[in-house]
Amino acid sequence: MKFKTKLITLVVAFLAAISFALPSQVNAANTDMVDTSNNNGLMTYDNYYDMLVHYGVKAVVQKVSEGTTYVDPTAKYNLASAKQAGLYLNGYHFARYTTVEGARAEARFAVAAAQSAGLPIGAVLATDVEASEQANNSYAANTANNKAFMEVVQAAGYRSTIYTMGSWVGTKMSVDKGWIADYPYNTSRDRYTSHHAWQFRSDQQFAGSYGNFDVSQLYDDFFTANQTPSLSAPVTPAPSQTAKSNVASDTDYAQTGVFKPSATVNIRTGAGTGYASVGSYATGESVIYDHVYIRGTYVWARYLSYSGRYHYVALGVNGGESYGSRSSNAQTYSHTYYTVRSGDSFWSIASKYGISMYTLAANNGKSIYSLIYPGESLYIR
């Protein structure tokens, strides 16, 4: 027993050592906070919970607005998912202002967007100052504009700070205690400990989540104050629940990705449960989509079928359960295959994918009168 215990200890120590040596597992700093926005699409409870458990992420900062006209369409959904996963919630506004009055107008717009998205009062609503508008502005103007923005935000009950690049601190504006982006780790470490946070990389990837993420190390409790996060299970609607139109929550945005369902999902002719079902995707299959729609209760992905018509599948519940996983590596899926199930025919499979059953049969060296068997893989395209 002593030898066995010693051997197990050595194996564990060895595995721990090599895990720290793997580049994909090494973060140069603590992955305390993650940025999310429309660039990452809709983030689910599972996405955030995985970040919390496997990467140590404890706070999220979600884009809520930009300028005076753009509201991030993923903000409300993502904040709700992050809240369910037990993360601290924060927001940011991408600044376009060049004057004090412009900064105040953007601040009012950002506050309204943050409130609509469900960002709790007392959370951080930062100003992201890195655009060409500020690059062409003077040090004094940028400093005054940022101050005006934060004053309006703070008057509304949110806390605020400045997000900007390390090279702009003290050159393009005054930043007392901010949230500073500077890469790479080995040249930037320990330079920003006097600030609230340091964003140390912009290419972090998380299993099951879409795209690259900016991640930050926190140096104080600024992004975690005034909240008491609690983990809760994602909301799952009753099976009989029907989606209802909600104009306030209806939105859409372009995004290309791959959806792999974790359960059978219906293929519909429109983004809603009221549209006709023309087939289904099952676990183990995948679909490449090019657009996402939030329609009331559900989130939908659109894809172009081989017939040249758009079809739609539900990705999950708006603010709740996910029906599968999504990834951004659509380019790796150059071919599509289908695994035959009991009861399938060339006609039913061809109808599902919007192609001729004669084409489907020919693609697989068969005729429409050939037998197909459950478990057999058919080449679609």
Side-chain angles (χ1 to χ4, degrees), residues 6-146:
K6 183 176 180 180
L7 178 61
I8 292 173
T9 302
L10 289 172
V11 170
V12 170
F14 173 73
L15 291 175
I18 63 173
S19 69
F20 281 111
L22 294 174
S24 61
Q25 297 297 319
V26 174
N27 272 335
N30 295 333
T31 310
D32 295 324
M33 185 168 72
V34 63
D35 304 16
T36 54
S37 71
N38 58 88
N39 291 322
N40 305 112
L42 298 175
M43 299 289 294
T44 66
Y45 167 94
D46 292 333
N47 294 146
Y48 285 124
Y49 184 71
D50 181 75
M51 292 178 181
L52 171 71
V53 172
H54 296 108
Y55 297 89
V57 174
K58 57 187 176 183
V60 62
V61 56
Q62 165 69 38
K63 181 177 181 178
V64 297
S65 54
E66 178 175 336
T68 55
T69 58
Y70 180 80
V71 174
D72 193 302
T74 66
K76 185 172 184 178
Y77 183 96
N78 288 355
L79 287 172
S81 297
K83 181 179 180 181
Q84 289 174 341
L87 298 182
Y88 292 93
L89 307 182
N90 303 279
Y92 74 91
H93 168 85
F94 192 91
R96 294 292 186 182
Y97 49 72
T98 57
T99 65
V100 167
E101 283 308 311
R104 289 172 179 158
E106 288 195 27
R108 291 190 291 268
F109 182 77
V111 166
Q115 292 173 339
S116 178
L119 185 68
I121 294 298
V124 172
L125 178 54
T127 178
D128 180 343
V129 186
E130 57 176 310
S132 58
E133 289 88 340
Q134 290 83 45
N136 296 324
N137 235 8
S138 69
Y139 176 97
N142 284 333
T143 299
N145 296 343
N146 294 340

Side-chain angles (χ1 to χ4, degrees), residues 44-356:
T44 66
Y45 167 94
D46 292 333
N47 294 146
Y48 285 124
Y49 184 71
D50 181 75
M51 292 178 181
L52 171 71
V53 172
H54 296 108
Y55 297 89
V57 174
K58 57 187 176 183
V60 62
V61 56
Q62 165 69 38
K63 181 177 181 178
V64 297
S65 54
E66 178 175 336
T68 55
T69 58
Y70 180 80
V71 174
D72 193 302
T74 66
K76 185 172 184 178
Y77 183 96
N78 288 355
L79 287 172
S81 297
K83 181 179 180 181
Q84 289 174 341
L87 298 182
Y88 292 93
L89 307 182
N90 303 279
Y92 74 91
H93 168 85
F94 192 91
R96 294 292 186 182
Y97 49 72
T98 57
T99 65
V100 167
E101 283 308 311
R104 289 172 179 158
E106 288 195 27
R108 291 190 291 268
F109 182 77
V111 166
Q115 292 173 339
S116 178
L119 185 68
I121 294 298
V124 172
L125 178 54
T127 178
D128 180 343
V129 186
E130 57 176 310
S132 58
E133 289 88 340
Q134 290 83 45
N136 296 324
N137 235 8
S138 69
Y139 176 97
N142 284 333
T143 299
N145 296 343
N146 294 340
K147 182 175 182 291
F149 179 95
M150 292 190 290
E151 286 175 346
V152 173
V153 169
Q154 290 162 355
Y158 291 111
R159 293 174 298 116
S160 194
T161 189
I162 300 168
Y163 167 92
T164 195
M165 298 169 283
S167 60
W168 282 26
V169 177
T171 59
K172 289 291 184 181
M173 68 195 75
S174 173
V175 183
D176 181 20
K177 287 179 71 70
W179 168 27
I180 313 301
D182 203 351
Y183 329 125
Y185 168 78
N186 57 1
T187 60
S188 305
R189 60 180 302 173
D190 303 325
R191 293 180 59 185
Y192 302 105
T193 55
S194 62
H195 290 271
H196 297 306
W198 164 42
Q199 186 185 97
F200 60 90
R201 66 182 298 178
S202 60
D203 58 354
Q204 176 70 48
Q205 293 189 338
F206 299 99
S209 295
Y210 181 93
N212 292 331
F213 294 81
D214 300 334
V215 290
S216 302
Q217 175 167 308
L218 303 180
Y219 292 118
D220 56 27
D221 66 351
F222 187 72
F223 285 92
T224 59
N226 300 332
Q227 297 180 52
T228 307
S230 60
L231 182 68
S232 60
V235 177
T236 304
S240 61
Q241 184 172 349
T242 302
K244 297 181 180 180
S245 177
N246 180 352
V247 176
S249 66
D250 285 357
T251 189
D252 65 276
Y253 57 94
Q255 182 187 92
T256 300
V258 179
F259 174 61
K260 295 182 178 180
S262 56
T264 299
V265 294
N266 289 326
I267 301 169
R268 297 190 181 274
T269 57
T273 56
Y275 291 90
S277 175
V278 293
S280 63
Y281 279 99
T283 303
E285 297 182 280
S286 62
V287 56
I288 302 173
Y289 61 89
D290 63 8
H291 211 91
V292 172
Y293 295 84
I294 304 172
R295 293 290 183 266
T297 302
Y298 299 103
V299 180
W300 300 87
R302 183 187 75 178
Y303 70 95
L304 189 65
S305 74
Y306 305 128
S307 65
R309 297 186 179 91
Y310 280 118
H311 288 152
Y312 304 79
V313 294
L315 297 175
V317 178
N318 187 3
E321 178 188 13
S322 172
Y323 294 158
S325 63
R326 291 182 294 154
S327 61
S328 59
N329 58 335
Q331 68 277 6
T332 64
Y333 290 79
S334 57
H335 301 290
T336 299
Y337 294 86
Y338 175 79
T339 302
V340 177
R341 302 198 295 268
S342 178
D344 279 338
S345 66
F346 279 119
W347 180 86
S348 65
I349 299 170
S351 297
K352 171 178 179 176
Y353 288 98
I355 61 174
S356 163

